[in-house]
Amino acid sequence: MALRSQAWCAYVALCVPLLFPPDGPRSAAGSRLSSDAQSGLLSQYDLQYYLGVRAYFQEEWEKAAEYLEKSIATRQSLLRTRRRCRDECAAAGSDRLHRLDTETGSMWDLWALDWIQRQAECIRFCLGRAVTPAGQLPVSAAIEYEFGTRNPYNFLQFTYYQLGKASKAASAAQTFFVANPSHLEMRNNIEKYRRMGEVTDDAFTDREREPERHWDIHDSALHAEALSDWERAVENWKDCVNVTLQQLEDCRAQCVVSPHEDFLPTQLEHLHTAQFKAGDLRGAMQTLRSLLLFYPSDPGALGNLRLYSASLGRDAELQNAAPSLEISRYVNRSLLEKKLLYFGVENLDFSFSDPDLWTPEDIVPESLRKTWRAEKEMLRERLNEDEREETDDSGFYAGGPVPQVGVTIAMDDRSLNGTNRVVLDGVLSQAECDAMQQLASAATLAGDGYKGRQSPHTPHEKFEGLTVLRALKFSQTGMVNQSDARLLHEVGERARTLLHSYFRSPSALFFSFSHLVCRSAVAGHQEGRLDLSHPVHVDNCILEPETRQCWREAPAFTHRDLSALLYLNEDFEGGEFFFTNKDAKTVTARVKPKCGRLLGFSSGPVNPHGVTAVTSGRRCALALWFTKEKHHRDMEREEAEGLWAADGQSVVKEKTKDGGAAPASSRSGRRQVSAGRSKEVKREIRRDEL
């Protein structure tokens, strides 16, 4: 929903949960909060949130900001208080624990319940000293969802904008967007805040970053692995394990089950590999023994253990390396907790879904094992399906800023149903599109870029193309305007800057090939047409739809890393771009061309694509391919730039010391790890269009 001001639009969610029943105590809410504040105890953050949202829709902006901020601060204080009380009460009932190791049957049950009750009484007394009785009550699932998705910041960003506090609005917008990266309207809001003079880069901070710190460390560890920086990877994975253990303590304090299956064992696997690669056999042995606490019969881990034993020979100290003490404590406590939880499931009508695959069967009561095995198998199948999902090894991470005024994100990965895909609108003005089309009409040559073949993909269409160098030479003879030739070069640079920033490329991007191309329907040859303007293909590998494989070998352009199309017109029929799965049949997304629309995507096997038949008119676009490999850069384009420079004319071109596009800062995305690029030195001469 857009709430409009005189200057621009910001967006907020439509859905606001019903926090209280219609006949609930609304009139007394403010006075109740006032009395709680006087007592110094933490009040109900859901009530504060309700008052803030109500003030928001009544456009009482000062009051809305006050209550929304209070609800956020109160919730954070409540979470910290719960954690403190749990820590203070950790020893409560500990004198009962030793009895759990010896008692069985009903006596074990009684001692376990006595231990739990003593801890619960201690925690309740601790909370009572800091939180009002109402504040201790659980909030509704709707409120948990609102705060879990950071929706209070959604309301806050527009509230602060209305109050003229742009920096605070930017911070709230950034905080909401981190948890909702597919929210296109908020992303566009952030770009608008960036263009405000009074808003600095420091304003774009994630106010909820600390609870998510383990993901930052996790991403840093994956990035170090991708760079084969094993010593740094070891340090990062150690930090990640330690922070994850702390986060799991927070989950216990809040009575929340971790939603990430086998998260800790997976980190230990990464740490073990990094330690081995870094030559730290002592650390690798200890981590391996820690991992065996989760999976004591894992054949791979046991095989590695035998290998270490053979390699270490008589080094008794290393041979007898014990598991990490912290991991041992975690596993022992987890097993005891699971035993209690399954006791509750069996005897107290308690609901519990075990998120771990490593739980041993003897922990589960006999009466529950059949159901437990079925749930475990379903979980394993789901994890295997996730592993089979196609991942993009391009090293690009969609979601960076768009550094051009007036350019907006029309479609992203989510709306395009894929990875590293984007559609940007407003890249060209209508006047620029008209000038480019005029250039195409005056100078494109039939079959240019296709070894002279006028109809390279279908006999029903004619293809014409023009490169920057050829446009320059035509301008020198007066065949086309020099300004139009320079515009062809400049819009390519503009597209590179936008895509380099949005895809957060960690390295320079070089033009591999750029080509102004128009495809026209051949009159009298369109009736009953069933073919495509361009068959489904992948830009840097040979797609084999039958096996769903993509072979990265010649004659494919294996050096291409990023592909783009900058559309110039829409006055034609057909010619729609589409993405498919690797079967080349299942269409996953469609993009309709129009003036100034830039489509960008990584060139690898995650993005098979094609173009529907152009059945009427002429479809024109600037096709662009980029590479990270300098020796595969477009030499014709550089020749044109050299000729302009020799003639005393500057060209619009952002450079690094290597001559590529200036790199932008990036935050790595999960499940996307950089990989080495194919290094084919031989230059390709075949040209292929999108």
Side-chain angles (χ1 to χ4, degrees), residues 45 68-77 79-80 146-154 156 170-180 203-216 247 667 670:
Y45 73 87
L68 289 171
E69 289 286 11
K70 279 184 177 179
S71 68
I72 294 170
T74 301
R75 182 174 182 270
Q76 291 174 343
S77 296
L79 297 180
R80 288 193 298 268
E146 287 289 292
F147 281 84
T149 56
R150 302 190 183 183
N151 210 36
Y153 295 98
N154 188 4
L156 267 179
S171 179
Q174 179 71 15
T175 304
F176 175 81
F177 181 69
V178 167
N180 302 272
F204 296 93
T205 55
D206 179 7
R207 292 175 51 179
E208 299 280 347
R209 183 177 182 180
E210 184 58 29
E212 302 290 330
R213 189 166 63 92
H214 60 291
W215 283 121
D216 292 334
Q247 292 290 338
R667 179 179 182 273
R670 298 175 202 125

Side-chain angles (χ1 to χ4, degrees), residues 134-205:
Q136 296 180 46
L137 296 175
V139 298
S140 67
I143 288 294
E144 288 287 4
Y145 178 80
E146 287 289 292
F147 281 84
T149 56
R150 302 190 183 183
N151 210 36
Y153 295 98
N154 188 4
F155 291 108
L156 267 179
Q157 68 92 19
F158 191 75
T159 298
Y160 280 131
Y161 170 73
Q162 290 290 345
L163 291 172
K165 300 178 180 180
S167 293
K168 287 188 174 183
S171 179
Q174 179 71 15
T175 304
F176 175 81
F177 181 69
V178 167
N180 302 272
S182 297
H183 199 285
L184 293 180
E185 292 87 355
M186 191 63 75
R187 179 181 289 167
N188 289 331
N189 284 352
I190 289 174
E191 293 306 317
K192 292 168 184 174
Y193 287 128
R194 287 189 187 279
R195 294 194 287 268
M196 291 184 176
E198 68 271 29
V199 180
T200 64
D201 289 342
D202 293 339
F204 296 93
T205 55

